Amino acid sequence: MSHPSHSLSAPGAPGRVCGTTGLSVCFAAQRFIKLNAVSGIVFLLLGGIAALLLALTRWQTVHLLPVDWFYRILTFHGINMLILWILFFEVAILYFACTTPLNCRLFSRKIAWASFGMMLTGAVMVDYIILAGRADVMMTSYLPLLAHPLFYLGIILVAVGTLTGVFNFFATLYVAKRDGAYTGSMPIVTFGALAAAIIAVVTLLHGAVVMIPTFTYSMGWTAQPDPAWYRLIWWGLGHQSQQVNVCAMVAVWYLLSHITVGARPINEAVCRTAFVLYILFINLASAHHLLVDPGVGATWKIWNTSYAMYLAVLASMIHGFTVPAGVELAMREKGYTNGIFGWVTALPWRNPAFSGTALSLVIFGFLGGITGVTLGTQQINIIAHNTLRIPGHFHVTVVGGTTLAFMALAYYVIPLIFQRDFIFRGVARVQPWLFGIGITMVAFGMSFAGSMGVPRRSWDIDAQGVYGPAAHLWLGVLGMGGILAFTGLLIFALLCVGTLFFGAKIEGRAMADWGTPPALAGSQPGSLAHDHYATKGTIVLTLAFLACFAVYYFANWKALADVWPVR
Amino acid sequence: MSLRPLTTPWFHGPAGHEKIWLGCAILWCFVMSLMMPYWHFRGKQNSTGEAYTVKPADFFARTEKFVASNRVGTFKNPIANALMTELPIVEPPAGGDAYLMGRMWQWYPALRLRKGETYRLHLSSLDLQHGFSLQPLNMNFQVLPGYDHVLTLTPTSTGEFTIVCNEFCGAGHHAMTGKIFVE
Ligand code: HEM
Ligand SMILES: [Cu+2]
């Protein structure tokens, strides 16, 4: 046998041709996309059950869990959601992005097994030791809090496993390029995934630097690392990993807006530059977790959060324009040209992959982006640090943004990779709305309670005697939103798992269509390629966004100016 | 196309609406970047991170000495399962140093301050990390063991203020409170 070609169109290549898209799918990649995606969804469900318990405890009137279980479940929720669900699903996305779009096969099955094995072992270790009550330290495990060594070891294993998967991704890209599996430049989806993978490497190295000495300390082998040093390096892991999520989410936006309405990036050069900005600048933004810490000076804080972070913010503002602009352009080319917003009403709102993408973009941009940049402003952080405003912010980025985008993706991944059509398609159509509206309520409840000073990570708000009826009301909104969001999450998990067992098989035929807007008579694809003023709706929307941003931003400066002078 | 390699040249500068948006976005990032240095020099609320390393035992000794020489009264703590049912009320000299120590699960001692005076408030922890959260003002600072975090603080309103802990510090975290009275 000759040296096997890595191209999937080579004769005898271990793959198949997709009956829906006509693209080739590598069998090895397909297997590991399945394994990683399903594991991710299982951890999402575990984290979701924890979420419901937490929401029903912070809803002060219900106050469900006893104190020790509240902190245990909070630790469990943070780890299962932010680390396990997100990482497993992202590895699945990486395996997809480096094979099918480039028409090539996965570099190594053995490495993929090693990666998956380490991640799963680590995950089981961490979950076990948390539920056993030996690691009530929150996912941040700030020293001198100390967990059982298995907790740190489990996290290290998950991180190394992920790095191994990322290596497989890089190797696949390298071999594809070397063997000429494709010609031209890699598509934007792969490019976005590549940016995510590069940031992931830097992130996970920070993780190693901070977790290994903490593990050896927990074994009694070395002295305790300094708590301030720990915070600095830990956030090199904790914050940058969020940028991995943003990159992956944006890549999914490009992918799904293309699949559901035929959008294309309006300017490849600008979109790609924005991804590069993420890679270059985001690591410095970890500083915004230390804005009211002792021992780090004002200059350091301002430099890292302004110049550096805002170039990454700029990147998000670019994608926030180019993704809807691509959609608008595609719709106008299909003939939906009425007025400024006529195309919006014609969008496939009943297609869950589309509604999930659109909600993800709006929730992430309007709510997550605006709150994040404002809370991360050096001085404004004084009136926000460690209050519920912080989880209020990240439940609209990594949950309403990333998680919802990943859910939307599953509505195509499962039919295309597992080759089964979804069961209960009518229920699937409302799922993104339920989850999106629920999590928005959670975030509003948290943010408003937080502006009234309610702390995050606190079992009770009556003992202190300072929080009034308004704070209790907003915690009620959090609780009710939590029930809605949990229902959305549960439906998602049940639909996915149910489909794996009971969905109608689609071998050799196209998947059932979720609904895409048809081109109207007389319309012409590509007709607006050279009209740079065709995206009227998008420019109006983004300018409205900027106005909201400015109002929220300056209102917070005003609120800051009202508290005691402090230096 | 988003899903297949690009085979035609794709490098174009921004144009039209995209250029307008890019301009607005860059301008806005620039405004935000300038706000922070502006506030640093002109604004009154800043976190400078002034801090000195200190051994927990030494900080404890300084706090005890501060309490012994400036005590003005006693505060009966109404919080159930608080670490101490009685706290000394201590009034630092105007312009002077005040010490506030966090430990599981109490802020110690209670402080009495005068409106309009400026104090150097030293914050540190004897055990885990804690969060200094002054309510109902909602001003928040991180407190670490081994670091003496100094806030130069000027109360501008009077009344009873509660310090809540907002960094997780174990099962009694929610009940970890302290008091500042301003006259
Ligand atoms: C059904 C949806 C969800 C609900 C109702 C929910 C609710 C909550 C609540 C009530 C808290 C506790 C806040 C506090 O007391 O400090 C929390 C914390 C948190 N959640 Fe969620 N959540 C949901 C989904 C998610 C998802 C999908 C992620 C990540 C992808 C996530 C990440 C986190 C993180 C990182 C924390 C902070 C943990 C810590 O403080 O250590 N959540 N969530
Ligand atoms: Cu505390």
Tab-separated table of all heavy atoms in Angstrom, chain A residues 101 143 185 226 231 291-292 295 301 310 317 378-379 382 385-386 457 463-464 532 535 563-567, chain B residues 4-6 10 17 21 33 36 44-47 49 79 129 140 142 147 152 154 157 166-167 173-174:
chain	number	residue	atom	x	y	z
A	101	PRO	N	-14.406	20.796	6.513
A	101	PRO	CA	-14.268	21.973	5.628
A	101	PRO	C	-13.023	21.894	4.751
A	101	PRO	O	-12.992	22.496	3.679
A	101	PRO	CB	-14.174	23.155	6.595
A	101	PRO	CG	-14.743	22.667	7.878
A	101	PRO	CD	-14.447	21.204	7.928
A	143	LEU	N	-6.403	29.907	46.992
A	143	LEU	CA	-5.618	29.600	48.183
A	143	LEU	C	-5.864	30.698	49.212
A	143	LEU	O	-6.121	31.831	48.827
A	143	LEU	CB	-4.132	29.559	47.818
A	143	LEU	CG	-3.730	28.321	47.017
A	143	LEU	CD1	-2.320	28.504	46.486
A	143	LEU	CD2	-3.817	27.063	47.869
A	185	SER	N	-7.133	29.419	0.758
A	185	SER	CA	-7.042	29.733	2.186
A	185	SER	C	-8.117	28.976	2.948
A	185	SER	O	-9.204	28.748	2.424
A	185	SER	CB	-7.257	31.227	2.413
A	185	SER	OG	-6.515	31.970	1.490
A	226	ASP	N	1.819	31.723	46.937
A	226	ASP	CA	1.274	32.994	47.411
A	226	ASP	C	-0.139	33.227	46.850
A	226	ASP	O	-0.363	33.039	45.647
A	226	ASP	CB	2.208	34.125	46.946
A	226	ASP	CG	1.697	35.472	47.388
A	226	ASP	OD1	1.787	35.746	48.597
A	226	ASP	OD2	1.189	36.235	46.536
A	231	ARG	N	-3.920	34.167	42.260
A	231	ARG	CA	-5.012	34.865	41.568
A	231	ARG	C	-4.583	35.362	40.189
A	231	ARG	O	-5.314	35.246	39.216
A	231	ARG	CB	-5.507	36.051	42.406
A	231	ARG	CG	-6.294	35.651	43.629
A	231	ARG	CD	-6.574	36.839	44.538
A	231	ARG	NE	-7.462	37.831	43.942
A	231	ARG	CZ	-8.788	37.743	43.914
A	231	ARG	NH1	-9.378	36.707	44.462
A	231	ARG	NH2	-9.517	38.688	43.361
A	291	LEU	N	-8.973	44.052	39.701
A	291	LEU	CA	-9.029	45.509	39.708
A	291	LEU	C	-9.104	46.122	41.101
A	291	LEU	O	-8.735	47.269	41.293
A	291	LEU	CB	-10.207	45.998	38.861
A	291	LEU	CG	-10.021	45.731	37.363
A	291	LEU	CD1	-11.219	46.190	36.578
A	291	LEU	CD2	-8.763	46.426	36.860
A	292	VAL	N	-9.594	45.387	42.090
A	292	VAL	CA	-9.613	45.942	43.448
A	292	VAL	C	-8.756	45.072	44.362
A	292	VAL	O	-8.988	44.969	45.550
A	292	VAL	CB	-11.052	46.083	43.994
A	292	VAL	CG1	-11.830	47.105	43.184
A	292	VAL	CG2	-11.781	44.753	44.006
A	295	GLY	N	-1.773	45.107	45.983
A	295	GLY	CA	-0.476	44.710	45.444
A	295	GLY	C	-0.326	44.868	43.947
A	295	GLY	O	0.766	44.722	43.422
A	301	LYS	N	-3.174	48.112	36.157
A	301	LYS	CA	-4.592	47.803	35.955
A	301	LYS	C	-5.148	48.554	34.741
A	301	LYS	O	-5.857	47.994	33.910
A	301	LYS	CB	-5.402	48.192	37.199
A	301	LYS	CG	-5.102	47.337	38.423
A	301	LYS	CD	-5.766	47.919	39.681
A	301	LYS	CE	-5.434	47.092	40.916
A	301	LYS	NZ	-5.954	47.698	42.157
A	310	TYR	N	-9.363	46.659	25.083
A	310	TYR	CA	-10.277	47.250	24.129
A	310	TYR	C	-9.979	46.847	22.695
A	310	TYR	O	-10.848	46.928	21.833
A	310	TYR	CB	-10.330	48.772	24.302
A	310	TYR	CG	-10.934	49.132	25.644
A	310	TYR	CD1	-10.619	50.295	26.311
A	310	TYR	CD2	-11.824	48.251	26.253
A	310	TYR	CE1	-11.180	50.583	27.548
A	310	TYR	CE2	-12.370	48.527	27.484
A	310	TYR	CZ	-12.054	49.691	28.138
A	310	TYR	OH	-12.598	49.967	29.353
A	317	MET	N	-16.769	43.782	18.533
A	317	MET	CA	-17.674	44.729	17.879
A	317	MET	C	-17.634	44.543	16.365
A	317	MET	O	-18.635	44.749	15.679
A	317	MET	CB	-17.335	46.164	18.302
A	317	MET	CG	-17.643	46.320	19.775
A	317	MET	SD	-17.640	47.886	20.633
A	317	MET	CE	-17.593	49.188	19.609
A	378	GLN	N	-11.554	49.924	35.189
A	378	GLN	CA	-10.803	49.858	36.442
A	378	GLN	C	-11.581	50.385	37.651
A	378	GLN	O	-11.797	49.673	38.621
A	378	GLN	CB	-9.467	50.591	36.328
A	378	GLN	CG	-8.516	50.155	37.437
A	378	GLN	CD	-7.956	51.312	38.242
A	378	GLN	OE1	-7.830	52.417	37.743
A	378	GLN	NE2	-7.627	51.054	39.479
A	379	GLN	N	-12.029	51.634	37.591
A	379	GLN	CA	-12.657	52.211	38.786
A	379	GLN	C	-14.082	51.713	39.003
A	379	GLN	O	-14.512	51.527	40.146
A	379	GLN	CB	-12.641	53.738	38.676
A	379	GLN	CG	-11.248	54.343	38.674
A	379	GLN	CD	-10.678	54.525	37.262
A	379	GLN	OE1	-11.158	53.945	36.299
A	379	GLN	NE2	-9.636	55.330	37.150
A	382	ILE	N	-15.078	48.917	41.427
A	382	ILE	CA	-15.269	49.119	42.866
A	382	ILE	C	-16.730	48.887	43.254
A	382	ILE	O	-17.016	48.339	44.316
A	382	ILE	CB	-14.844	50.562	43.260
A	382	ILE	CG1	-13.341	50.729	43.079
A	382	ILE	CG2	-15.255	50.889	44.700
A	382	ILE	CD1	-12.850	52.155	43.294
A	385	HIS	N	-17.339	44.505	42.016
A	385	HIS	CA	-16.518	43.327	42.309
A	385	HIS	C	-17.208	42.353	43.270
A	385	HIS	O	-17.674	42.748	44.333
A	385	HIS	CB	-15.186	43.784	42.925
A	385	HIS	CG	-14.273	42.646	43.284
A	385	HIS	ND1	-13.647	41.878	42.328
A	385	HIS	CD2	-13.894	42.151	44.476
A	385	HIS	CE1	-12.920	40.952	42.939
A	385	HIS	NE2	-13.046	41.090	44.235
A	386	ASN	N	-17.256	41.094	42.857
A	386	ASN	CA	-17.805	40.016	43.696
A	386	ASN	C	-19.258	40.196	44.121
A	386	ASN	O	-19.724	39.504	45.021
A	386	ASN	CB	-16.939	39.807	44.946
A	386	ASN	CG	-15.866	38.782	44.671
A	386	ASN	OD1	-15.783	38.231	43.578
A	386	ASN	ND2	-15.039	38.510	45.655
A	457	ARG	N	-21.933	34.075	45.360
A	457	ARG	CA	-21.455	32.988	46.202
A	457	ARG	C	-21.841	33.168	47.658
A	457	ARG	O	-20.998	33.075	48.539
A	457	ARG	CB	-19.922	32.911	46.133
A	457	ARG	CG	-19.377	32.592	44.777
A	457	ARG	CD	-17.877	32.596	44.798
A	457	ARG	NE	-17.335	31.951	43.610
A	457	ARG	CZ	-16.055	31.907	43.318
A	457	ARG	NH1	-15.171	32.459	44.132
A	457	ARG	NH2	-15.632	31.290	42.234
A	463	ALA	N	-29.182	37.304	56.842
A	463	ALA	CA	-28.384	37.382	58.067
A	463	ALA	C	-27.766	38.763	58.253
A	463	ALA	O	-27.661	39.265	59.372
A	463	ALA	CB	-27.279	36.331	58.035
A	464	GLN	N	-27.372	39.411	57.152
A	464	GLN	CA	-26.636	40.670	57.270
A	464	GLN	C	-27.551	41.830	57.616
A	464	GLN	O	-27.087	42.886	58.039
A	464	GLN	CB	-25.916	40.987	55.944
A	464	GLN	CG	-25.056	39.874	55.408
A	464	GLN	CD	-25.838	38.886	54.552
A	464	GLN	OE1	-27.061	38.837	54.589
A	464	GLN	NE2	-25.138	38.074	53.790
A	532	HIS	N	-21.593	48.417	-1.035
A	532	HIS	CA	-21.143	48.501	0.360
A	532	HIS	C	-22.118	49.238	1.252
A	532	HIS	O	-21.871	49.429	2.429
A	532	HIS	CB	-19.767	49.162	0.411
A	532	HIS	CG	-18.737	48.376	-0.328
A	532	HIS	ND1	-18.402	47.085	0.029
A	532	HIS	CD2	-17.985	48.674	-1.421
A	532	HIS	CE1	-17.488	46.639	-0.802
A	532	HIS	NE2	-17.222	47.572	-1.695
A	535	THR	N	-26.283	47.192	3.700
A	535	THR	CA	-26.624	46.640	5.014
A	535	THR	C	-27.228	47.722	5.915
A	535	THR	O	-26.733	47.981	7.011
A	535	THR	CB	-25.380	46.030	5.670
A	535	THR	OG1	-24.330	47.013	5.621
A	535	THR	CG2	-24.922	44.795	4.957
A	563	VAL	N	-20.264	57.354	45.489
A	563	VAL	CA	-19.784	56.672	46.701
A	563	VAL	C	-18.618	57.437	47.331
A	563	VAL	O	-18.132	58.426	46.779
A	563	VAL	CB	-19.402	55.187	46.445
A	563	VAL	CG1	-20.582	54.438	45.842
A	563	VAL	CG2	-18.169	55.058	45.586
A	564	TRP	N	-18.175	56.978	48.501
A	564	TRP	CA	-17.129	57.690	49.231
A	564	TRP	C	-15.841	57.784	48.417
A	564	TRP	O	-15.438	56.812	47.759
A	564	TRP	CB	-16.778	56.958	50.536
A	564	TRP	CG	-17.863	56.970	51.565
A	564	TRP	CD1	-19.062	57.631	51.514
A	564	TRP	CD2	-17.843	56.256	52.813
A	564	TRP	NE1	-19.786	57.389	52.658
A	564	TRP	CE2	-19.067	56.547	53.474
A	564	TRP	CE3	-16.923	55.408	53.438
A	564	TRP	CZ2	-19.376	56.025	54.726
A	564	TRP	CZ3	-17.229	54.883	54.682
A	564	TRP	CH2	-18.454	55.198	55.313
A	565	PRO	N	-15.154	58.929	48.524
A	565	PRO	CA	-13.837	59.034	47.891
A	565	PRO	C	-12.878	57.997	48.485
A	565	PRO	O	-12.874	57.776	49.701
A	565	PRO	CB	-13.386	60.446	48.240
A	565	PRO	CG	-14.655	61.195	48.477
A	565	PRO	CD	-15.604	60.214	49.082
A	566	VAL	N	-12.114	57.381	47.645
A	566	VAL	CA	-11.178	56.355	48.101
A	566	VAL	C	-9.989	56.319	47.154
A	566	VAL	O	-10.113	56.591	45.969
A	566	VAL	CB	-11.885	54.980	48.159
A	566	VAL	CG1	-12.356	54.541	46.792
A	566	VAL	CG2	-10.979	53.923	48.785
A	567	ARG	N	-8.817	56.042	47.730
A	567	ARG	CA	-7.640	55.891	46.907
A	567	ARG	C	-6.951	54.587	47.234
A	567	ARG	O	-6.903	54.207	48.402
A	567	ARG	CB	-6.651	57.032	47.158
A	567	ARG	CG	-6.607	58.035	46.030
A	567	ARG	CD	-5.616	59.146	46.301
A	567	ARG	NE	-6.005	59.999	47.414
A	567	ARG	CZ	-5.254	60.169	48.514
A	567	ARG	NH1	-4.129	59.519	48.658
A	567	ARG	NH2	-5.649	60.977	49.474
B	4	ARG	N	-16.005	26.378	2.928
B	4	ARG	CA	-15.062	25.783	1.976
B	4	ARG	C	-13.867	26.712	1.825
B	4	ARG	O	-13.982	27.921	2.011
B	4	ARG	CB	-15.729	25.584	0.607
B	4	ARG	CG	-16.940	24.682	0.611
B	4	ARG	CD	-16.615	23.276	1.067
B	4	ARG	NE	-15.659	22.634	0.181
B	4	ARG	CZ	-14.726	21.759	0.588
B	4	ARG	NH1	-14.607	21.467	1.853
B	4	ARG	NH2	-13.908	21.208	-0.268
B	5	PRO	N	-12.697	26.151	1.497
B	5	PRO	CA	-11.516	27.012	1.329
B	5	PRO	C	-11.777	28.097	0.286
B	5	PRO	O	-12.537	27.899	-0.656
B	5	PRO	CB	-10.451	26.029	0.842
B	5	PRO	CG	-10.891	24.707	1.339
B	5	PRO	CD	-12.391	24.730	1.326
B	6	LEU	N	-11.115	29.239	0.491
B	6	LEU	CA	-11.275	30.357	-0.440
B	6	LEU	C	-10.237	30.226	-1.533
B	6	LEU	O	-9.054	30.111	-1.236
B	6	LEU	CB	-11.048	31.672	0.300
B	6	LEU	CG	-12.040	31.984	1.403
B	6	LEU	CD1	-11.517	33.108	2.261
B	6	LEU	CD2	-13.364	32.347	0.778
B	10	TRP	N	-9.083	37.365	-1.526
B	10	TRP	CA	-10.133	37.829	-0.610
B	10	TRP	C	-9.731	39.060	0.172
B	10	TRP	O	-10.439	39.506	1.052
B	10	TRP	CB	-10.543	36.714	0.341
B	10	TRP	CG	-9.390	35.988	0.990
B	10	TRP	CD1	-8.828	34.826	0.540
B	10	TRP	CD2	-8.667	36.358	2.162
B	10	TRP	NE1	-7.795	34.452	1.367
B	10	TRP	CE2	-7.676	35.377	2.374
B	10	TRP	CE3	-8.754	37.418	3.067
B	10	TRP	CZ2	-6.778	35.421	3.433
B	10	TRP	CZ3	-7.855	37.472	4.122
B	10	TRP	CH2	-6.882	36.467	4.294
B	17	HIS	N	-20.746	50.877	4.787
B	17	HIS	CA	-21.260	50.755	6.151
B	17	HIS	C	-20.221	50.156	7.085
B	17	HIS	O	-20.117	50.541	8.244
B	17	HIS	CB	-22.503	49.854	6.163
B	17	HIS	CG	-23.724	50.564	5.674
B	17	HIS	ND1	-24.762	49.909	5.073
B	17	HIS	CD2	-24.069	51.869	5.714
B	17	HIS	CE1	-25.714	50.775	4.760
B	17	HIS	NE2	-25.316	51.978	5.124
B	21	TRP	N	-18.922	51.723	10.622
B	21	TRP	CA	-19.005	51.034	11.904
B	21	TRP	C	-17.628	50.890	12.541
B	21	TRP	O	-17.439	51.129	13.733
B	21	TRP	CB	-19.675	49.661	11.733
B	21	TRP	CG	-19.631	48.866	13.016
B	21	TRP	CD1	-18.951	47.717	13.246
B	21	TRP	CD2	-20.270	49.202	14.260
B	21	TRP	NE1	-19.129	47.309	14.533
B	21	TRP	CE2	-19.935	48.215	15.185
B	21	TRP	CE3	-21.094	50.268	14.669
B	21	TRP	CZ2	-20.386	48.224	16.501
B	21	TRP	CZ3	-21.542	50.284	15.988
B	21	TRP	CH2	-21.197	49.277	16.893
B	33	SER	N	-10.823	54.069	26.684
B	33	SER	CA	-9.429	53.986	27.137
B	33	SER	C	-9.010	55.257	27.860
B	33	SER	O	-8.236	55.198	28.804
B	33	SER	CB	-8.487	53.770	25.956
B	33	SER	OG	-8.672	52.493	25.454
B	36	MET	N	-10.342	56.008	31.905
B	36	MET	CA	-9.688	55.484	33.117
B	36	MET	C	-8.537	56.366	33.595
B	36	MET	O	-8.510	56.747	34.764
B	36	MET	CB	-9.271	54.039	32.905
B	36	MET	CG	-10.451	53.101	32.908
B	36	MET	SD	-9.979	51.379	32.923
B	36	MET	CE	-9.598	51.178	31.223
B	44	LYS	N	-12.612	60.819	42.077
B	44	LYS	CA	-12.308	60.657	43.492
B	44	LYS	C	-12.255	59.197	43.922
B	44	LYS	O	-11.797	58.899	45.022
B	44	LYS	CB	-13.373	61.385	44.313
B	44	LYS	CG	-13.326	62.906	44.132
B	44	LYS	CD	-13.952	63.576	45.338
B	44	LYS	CE	-13.701	65.066	45.358
B	44	LYS	NZ	-14.875	65.815	44.852
B	45	GLN	N	-12.776	58.284	43.113
B	45	GLN	CA	-12.809	56.885	43.532
B	45	GLN	C	-11.834	56.082	42.686
B	45	GLN	O	-12.043	55.899	41.495
B	45	GLN	CB	-14.225	56.305	43.374
B	45	GLN	CG	-15.270	56.934	44.271
B	45	GLN	CD	-15.768	58.283	43.745
B	45	GLN	OE1	-15.460	58.677	42.617
B	45	GLN	NE2	-16.545	58.982	44.555
B	46	ASN	N	-10.774	55.609	43.312
B	46	ASN	CA	-9.783	54.819	42.583
B	46	ASN	C	-9.284	53.683	43.451
B	46	ASN	O	-9.240	53.794	44.667
B	46	ASN	CB	-8.602	55.702	42.188
B	46	ASN	CG	-8.930	56.562	40.981
B	46	ASN	OD1	-9.030	56.066	39.863
B	46	ASN	ND2	-9.135	57.845	41.220
B	47	SER	N	-8.921	52.584	42.796
B	47	SER	CA	-8.290	51.493	43.532
B	47	SER	C	-6.829	51.462	43.116
B	47	SER	O	-6.500	51.054	42.013
B	47	SER	CB	-8.968	50.166	43.198
B	47	SER	OG	-8.182	49.118	43.703
B	49	GLY	N	-4.452	49.887	44.796
B	49	GLY	CA	-3.814	48.632	45.156
B	49	GLY	C	-2.672	48.785	46.143
B	49	GLY	O	-1.854	47.878	46.283
B	79	ILE	N	-26.176	39.411	64.909
B	79	ILE	CA	-26.172	38.341	63.908
B	79	ILE	C	-26.075	36.964	64.586
B	79	ILE	O	-25.162	36.725	65.364
B	79	ILE	CB	-24.962	38.492	62.970
B	79	ILE	CG1	-24.916	39.890	62.401
B	79	ILE	CG2	-24.946	37.414	61.909
B	79	ILE	CD1	-25.637	40.092	61.139
B	129	GLN	N	-9.032	34.103	51.995
B	129	GLN	CA	-9.347	35.369	51.335
B	129	GLN	C	-10.749	35.799	51.761
B	129	GLN	O	-11.628	34.974	51.957
B	129	GLN	CB	-9.320	35.193	49.813
B	129	GLN	CG	-8.010	34.664	49.304
B	129	GLN	CD	-7.863	34.797	47.799
B	129	GLN	OE1	-8.581	35.530	47.147
B	129	GLN	NE2	-6.905	34.085	47.239
B	140	ASN	N	-16.468	47.735	47.075
B	140	ASN	CA	-15.939	46.386	47.259
B	140	ASN	C	-14.434	46.301	47.019
B	140	ASN	O	-13.937	46.822	46.015
B	140	ASN	CB	-16.651	45.430	46.296
B	140	ASN	CG	-18.168	45.535	46.429
B	140	ASN	OD1	-18.751	44.966	47.323
B	140	ASN	ND2	-18.787	46.298	45.537
B	142	GLN	N	-10.841	43.534	47.609
B	142	GLN	CA	-10.381	42.176	47.914
B	142	GLN	C	-9.417	42.202	49.100
B	142	GLN	O	-8.592	43.109	49.211
B	142	GLN	CB	-9.672	41.610	46.678
B	142	GLN	CG	-9.375	40.131	46.750
B	142	GLN	CD	-10.624	39.285	46.548
B	142	GLN	OE1	-11.608	39.734	45.970
B	142	GLN	NE2	-10.582	38.052	47.039
B	147	TYR	N	-1.221	40.243	53.010
B	147	TYR	CA	-1.138	41.558	52.391
B	147	TYR	C	-1.910	42.568	53.226
B	147	TYR	O	-3.068	42.335	53.571
B	147	TYR	CB	-1.714	41.535	50.968
B	147	TYR	CG	-0.829	40.787	50.020
B	147	TYR	CD1	-0.914	39.400	49.918
B	147	TYR	CD2	0.119	41.457	49.243
B	147	TYR	CE1	-0.073	38.699	49.069
B	147	TYR	CE2	0.947	40.767	48.390
B	147	TYR	CZ	0.853	39.393	48.310
B	147	TYR	OH	1.683	38.708	47.467
B	152	THR	N	-7.269	54.649	51.322
B	152	THR	CA	-7.336	55.997	51.882
B	152	THR	C	-8.755	56.501	51.641
B	152	THR	O	-9.133	56.800	50.514
B	152	THR	CB	-6.289	56.897	51.210
B	152	THR	OG1	-5.031	56.236	51.332
B	152	THR	CG2	-6.206	58.246	51.896
B	154	THR	N	-12.494	58.512	52.648
B	154	THR	CA	-13.112	59.694	53.257
B	154	THR	C	-14.622	59.520	53.310
B	154	THR	O	-15.296	59.663	52.275
B	154	THR	CB	-12.799	60.958	52.421
B	154	THR	OG1	-11.413	60.959	52.099
B	154	THR	CG2	-13.157	62.219	53.178
B	157	SER	N	-20.898	60.452	54.047
B	157	SER	CA	-22.281	60.357	54.513
B	157	SER	C	-22.264	59.741	55.911
B	157	SER	O	-21.305	59.058	56.279
B	157	SER	CB	-23.122	59.503	53.559
B	157	SER	OG	-22.442	58.324	53.215
B	166	ASN	N	-17.761	39.297	50.803
B	166	ASN	CA	-18.216	38.801	49.501
B	166	ASN	C	-17.169	37.977	48.761
B	166	ASN	O	-17.177	37.894	47.548
B	166	ASN	CB	-18.808	39.918	48.639
B	166	ASN	CG	-17.780	40.886	48.136
B	166	ASN	OD1	-16.595	40.714	48.377
B	166	ASN	ND2	-18.225	41.901	47.421
B	167	GLU	N	-16.257	37.358	49.532
B	167	GLU	CA	-15.445	36.301	48.921
B	167	GLU	C	-15.692	35.044	49.736
B	167	GLU	O	-15.591	35.071	50.966
B	167	GLU	CB	-13.952	36.664	48.935
B	167	GLU	CG	-13.074	35.644	48.227
B	167	GLU	CD	-13.490	35.449	46.770
B	167	GLU	OE1	-13.148	36.294	45.917
B	167	GLU	OE2	-14.188	34.440	46.504
B	173	HIS	N	-19.628	31.977	55.841
B	173	HIS	CA	-19.368	33.129	54.978
B	173	HIS	C	-20.496	34.170	54.980
B	173	HIS	O	-20.253	35.365	55.142
B	173	HIS	CB	-19.102	32.593	53.576
B	173	HIS	CG	-19.169	33.572	52.475
B	173	HIS	ND1	-18.455	34.742	52.487
B	173	HIS	CD2	-19.863	33.560	51.312
B	173	HIS	CE1	-18.712	35.403	51.374
B	173	HIS	NE2	-19.554	34.711	50.653
B	174	HIS	N	-21.751	33.706	54.838
B	174	HIS	CA	-22.865	34.660	54.729
B	174	HIS	C	-23.055	35.454	56.024
B	174	HIS	O	-23.635	36.526	56.010
B	174	HIS	CB	-24.159	33.911	54.401
B	174	HIS	CG	-24.559	32.949	55.485
B	174	HIS	ND1	-23.971	31.718	55.602
B	174	HIS	CD2	-25.433	33.067	56.508
B	174	HIS	CE1	-24.493	31.099	56.647
B	174	HIS	NE2	-25.377	31.899	57.219
